Amino acid sequence: MSNEPSPPTDELIERYFLDPQSLSDAEQSTLVRALQEDPSVRSRFRVAAFIDAELRFESSGEETSSPSITAPTGLGDAWPKWILAIAATLLLFGVLGYLNWPATPQQTQEPIANQQSPPATPEVATAIALLDVGHNQKFEPGFAPSGSEFHQGEYHLSEGEVTLTFQNGVAVSLESPARFSIIDPMRMQLDHGRARAIVPESGHGFVIETSTMVVEDLGTEFGVVVDDQQNQELHVFAGEVRLHEKNLPPELLTENSALAWDNHTKRRTITPDDGAFATSMSIGYKRWLDHSLQLRQDPAALFYFDFETDSRKSAEVVNRATTGIVDNGQLTSGIWATGRWPEKGAMLFENTGDRVELNIPGTYDQITIMGWVQINRYDFALQTVFNSVDYSPGQHHWNLTRGGSLRMGLSGQYDLTSKQTLPQNHWTHVAAQMDAKSQESVYYINGEEVDRKQWTTSIPIRYGPSSIGAWGHTNRAGQVTYSRDLRGRIDEIALFSRILSADEIREAFEAGSNFQ
């Protein structure tokens, strides 16, 4: 008896469809047993059989096709006996399932005269994929998803970009114009456009097919292009794919490789172009940028800092709000850094005294503040996100505790510590509404309300001299000193002189959340 390890199941399936006689008796038994015990193996075997039948039919030259799938040609008039055992096994599963199906009332009870059957409940089809993120997307009538749900069928994306997430975790990003069909959770067809697939282990074996090729995932990230003239490209960015072409044996392509085909020449090798395909991240950045432009143009915006700069030596933090009420912030110390996306700027607060100073004139009956923060470390009992200098009646403070909770307060009215915490080294959206008219404050983390607090009296809200990243307080000598240093990044923070609704806060979170 041989002590050599058995080949992987995928290899056995591939060898069967290339040459079933190449499998030894032991390998045949291994494959049969795997098909009997593992539903995923049966699924991959069916996909392989379908691909093999399609390729053999295309190469046969026949003008019409039959809906049935026959045994691969070249194997004689009958299937090998051991593969008939597989078919029998699959049939047995179906028979046993039928015999063990729970009996219905009609099968176990005598019919009752004039009994009316309850109306049939319509069967709701489960979506195969969901819209993960989109930017200015528009679908042609009759070829559009049902809301955010994509079922089996054909779709025409006429404008914008989308990323779909399949049941198995596969993410496919498409750019308009695109015509594509969703066949099942493991297969889609691209007739025109650009598609990029990012396939996790749970989606191993996912397929994108075109009119002339089938691209089978082997744990990959890859892109497929089909243009107006049916010129095609395949780019492999990570992992491996198995390429099936007409009249050719399957071929393995590895990462950092790319091929192109057209109607007039044979295929050629090209340079893979990672930047030529949309991803969930790139689509998310465009969506956030559109939303950012809306926020900075809000008539109630007092300041809007996006921490973008033309020079990383700049000591000025530009206030993008168009109202002109608050001047640009002054960077005392801090590090210009990268934010949620590679294209996005941020301010890194790392050292003692790192802060942005600003002055906010006036008093307000309503305030909303929100932003994106990433905490690297919790070094102190309290760390400052955004505070007024000192803490006089009506002034608002926004800190974090050493445990990661929001620690908020309005001087003379309340202090509040959230039960929910901010994780380290992860971007988190935080927001607050303060209403002197209703005497209530509400706080949010990642678009969801986490706490609210009633005030005892109505008092106008004010800031005056303030800072982002550290708290300034006046000592006995009349000097302002700073403490409660933040240890992390902020890449967006804004203050409005109105109450943004819960829906607006949730929209801001969702618009900025596709950064990974």
Side-chain angles (χ1 to χ4, degrees), residues 432-507:
Q433 304 157 318
M434 286 168 286
D435 193 339
K437 297 178 180 178
S438 63
Q439 299 170 220
E440 185 176 53
S441 295
V442 187
Y443 292 85
Y444 299 80
I445 295 177
N446 287 338
E448 298 295 331
E449 180 181 331
V450 296
D451 222 328
R452 61 176 58 218
K453 190 75 172 182
Q454 291 292 142
W455 308 0
T456 56
T457 58
S458 179
I459 184 172
I461 305 162
R462 64 187 184 90
Y463 286 95
S466 304
S467 59
I468 300 169
W471 173 51
H473 57 283
T474 306
N475 61 21
R476 293 181 179 179
Q479 301 172 326
V480 177
T481 60
Y482 288 86
S483 60
R484 301 181 183 175
D485 302 300
L486 188 67
R487 293 291 186 259
R489 304 182 188 213
I490 300 177
D491 78 350
E492 181 182 17
I493 188 168
L495 184 70
F496 303 86
S497 59
R498 70 175 179 92
I499 297 296
L500 272 67
S501 69
D503 286 342
E504 288 178 296
I505 291 173
R506 190 175 302 108
E507 180 185 6

Side-chain angles (χ1 to χ4, degrees), residues 201-262:
E201 182 63 28
S202 56
H204 184 86
F206 184 79
V207 166
I208 293 182
E209 64 180 56
T210 71
S211 60
T212 61
M213 66 176 175
V214 174
V215 183
E216 178 190 0
D217 153 75
L218 297 177
T220 59
E221 184 171 342
F222 65 94
V224 178
V225 180
V226 181
D227 69 12
D228 293 330
Q229 289 75 42
Q230 291 297 295
N231 301 317
Q232 301 183 42
E233 297 177 10
L234 169 61
H235 300 243
V236 184
F237 304 115
E240 298 176 333
V241 302
R242 183 176 287 116
L243 173 64
H244 303 263
E245 290 187 81
K246 286 184 178 181
N247 306 321
L248 292 174
E251 179 180 358
L252 194 67
L253 294 181
T254 59
E255 62 188 63
N256 201 34
S257 61
L259 297 172
W261 299 259
D262 60 40

Side-chain angles (χ1 to χ4, degrees), residues 16-258:
Y16 163 70
F17 285 104
L18 290 176
D19 180 9
Q21 305 303 324
S22 69
L23 272 65
S24 66
D25 291 343
E27 290 171 334
Q28 294 172 16
S29 299
T30 298
L31 181 55
V32 170
R33 186 167 54 253
L35 286 163
Q36 292 172 333
E37 297 175 353
D38 191 337
S40 67
V41 175
R42 294 197 292 273
S43 175
R44 293 201 293 276
F45 187 89
R46 285 193 295 269
V47 169
F50 179 73
I51 293 172
D52 181 83
E54 282 192 329
L55 293 176
R56 291 178 185 278
F57 170 75
E58 292 291 344
S59 63
S60 70
E62 296 181 33
E63 295 183 358
T64 59
S65 61
S66 168
S68 63
I69 296 177
T70 61
T73 59
L75 303 182
D77 294 332
W79 292 69
K81 292 182 179 179
W82 66 272
I83 206 63
L84 288 176
I86 295 175
T89 297
L90 298 178
L91 178 61
L92 178 61
F93 279 128
V95 172
L96 290 176
Y98 175 78
L99 293 177
N100 287 283
W101 192 261
T104 63
Q106 287 79 4
Q107 293 172 310
T108 59
Q109 298 178 7
E110 292 294 326
I112 300 174
N114 300 322
Q115 178 177 343
Q116 292 185 352
S117 300
T121 302
E123 195 171 309
V124 179
T126 302
I128 294 176
L130 297 175
L131 177 67
D132 176 47
V133 62
H135 175 249
N136 295 337
Q137 70 272 19
K138 184 177 181 181
F139 287 85
E140 293 182 10
F143 299 94
S146 175
S148 63
E149 295 186 347
F150 289 78
H151 299 265
Q152 185 181 62
E154 184 177 353
Y155 299 90
H156 294 182
L157 178 66
S158 56
E159 296 179 20
E161 303 166 317
V162 294
T163 295
L164 315 183
T165 301
F166 284 70
Q167 296 172 357
N168 48 27
V170 174
V172 178
S173 299
L174 299 119
E175 305 168 59
S176 64
R179 298 192 308 274
F180 62 97
S181 297
I182 294 178
I183 300 171
D184 59 45
M186 291 296 293
R187 195 179 191 90
M188 70 177 290
Q189 179 173 322
L190 181 67
D191 297 317
H192 176 245
R194 289 178 175 269
R196 180 175 187 147
I198 300 177
V199 184
E201 182 63 28
S202 56
H204 184 86
F206 184 79
V207 166
I208 293 182
E209 64 180 56
T210 71
S211 60
T212 61
M213 66 176 175
V214 174
V215 183
E216 178 190 0
D217 153 75
L218 297 177
T220 59
E221 184 171 342
F222 65 94
V224 178
V225 180
V226 181
D227 69 12
D228 293 330
Q229 289 75 42
Q230 291 297 295
N231 301 317
Q232 301 183 42
E233 297 177 10
L234 169 61
H235 300 243
V236 184
F237 304 115
E240 298 176 333
V241 302
R242 183 176 287 116
L243 173 64
H244 303 263
E245 290 187 81
K246 286 184 178 181
N247 306 321
L248 292 174
E251 179 180 358
L252 194 67
L253 294 181
T254 59
E255 62 188 63
N256 201 34
S257 61

